[in-house]
Amino acid sequence: MSPQDLNYEQPTVSDAAVDNSDDYTEYTFSTTKGMRFALIVTYIQYTILAKNDCMEVKTFPKKANKMPIVRYDDIAAMHVKKVFTWYHICLAILTCYTIILPLLFLYAGSNHKLEITLKSGAKTSVCASNKNVMNNFATELNQRIIKKCGHSVLV
């Protein structure tokens, strides 16, 4: 048997090409310090791949991820709300004798959370430290859901 007879086992360039039919957009978010109660890593970093039919969520640290993949047709509602970190709330309480410092600490420690409720009742969330970034992501994700399912889920 010659080496040319074994060519059928080697993939050609066209066979090994990546299928680009599954278009996706990558988003990266990060929370402010104090979002997690930990000694070393106190923030959460999200990398979201918004595909045509689902949203894949990768987090750092990995324990912060509740649902790695969320399908668009399973989403019942999305809601953006403001949350505060424990770290900045404690600093605001410690400096409550002043007037301006607690307000600054609460402003610096605010995060915006996109809470996604599935049809089964389960909830997952994605947080970002910037309000405009989270609102833009929510509207873009809602547009993908409208395109896929035909109805809006943004509350």
Side-chain angles (χ1 to χ4, degrees):
M1 191 181 280
S2 68
Q4 284 127 358
D5 294 336
L6 297 176
N7 279 342
Y8 68 91
E9 294 179 6
Q10 301 297 324
T12 61
V13 175
S14 62
D15 293 337
V18 177
D19 184 23
N20 290 330
S21 63
D22 194 22
D23 245 357
Y24 68 89
T25 307
E26 184 174 323
Y27 301 93
T28 304
F29 304 122
S30 181
T31 63
T32 59
K33 183 177 181 180
M35 192 64 183
R36 289 185 68 238
F37 187 73
L39 297 175
I40 298 171
V41 179
T42 61
Y43 67 94
I44 302 172
Q45 184 176 6
Y46 296 92
T47 303
I48 299 170
L49 302 176
K51 299 180 180 179
N52 290 334
D53 61 342
C54 66
M55 175 179 78
E56 185 176 340
V57 181
K58 298 175 186 175
T59 61
F60 174 80
K62 291 192 184 282
K63 292 181 182 178
N65 194 357
K66 295 180 182 177
M67 290 184 202
I69 296 177
V70 177
R71 298 189 56 80
Y72 295 150
D73 50 0
D74 290 339
I75 296 176
M78 292 190 312
H79 182 71
V80 178
K81 57 184 174 180
K82 191 173 197 173
V83 292
F84 297 100
T85 63
W86 64 271
Y87 180 78
H88 290 91
I89 290 174
C90 291
L91 287 175
I93 291 170
L94 290 175
T95 61
C96 65
Y97 58 89
T98 65
I99 295 172
I100 199 84
L101 284 179
L103 297 174
L104 288 175
F105 283 131
L106 290 177
Y107 176 74
S110 65
N111 288 307
H112 297 276
K113 178 166 76 170
L114 175 65
E115 189 174 82
I116 300 170
T117 306
L118 301 180
K119 291 178 181 175
S120 66
K123 293 183 179 183
T124 186
S125 60
V126 176
C127 296
S129 59
N130 191 335
K131 178 182 179 180
N132 293 333
V133 170
M134 184 52 70
N135 285 334
N136 290 340
F137 172 68
T139 55
E140 287 178 24
L141 188 61
N142 192 36
Q143 292 299 322
R144 286 183 180 265
I145 293 170
I146 290 171
K147 185 177 175 183
K148 170 78 174 153
C149 303
H151 58 85
S152 176
V153 293
L154 190 60
V155 178

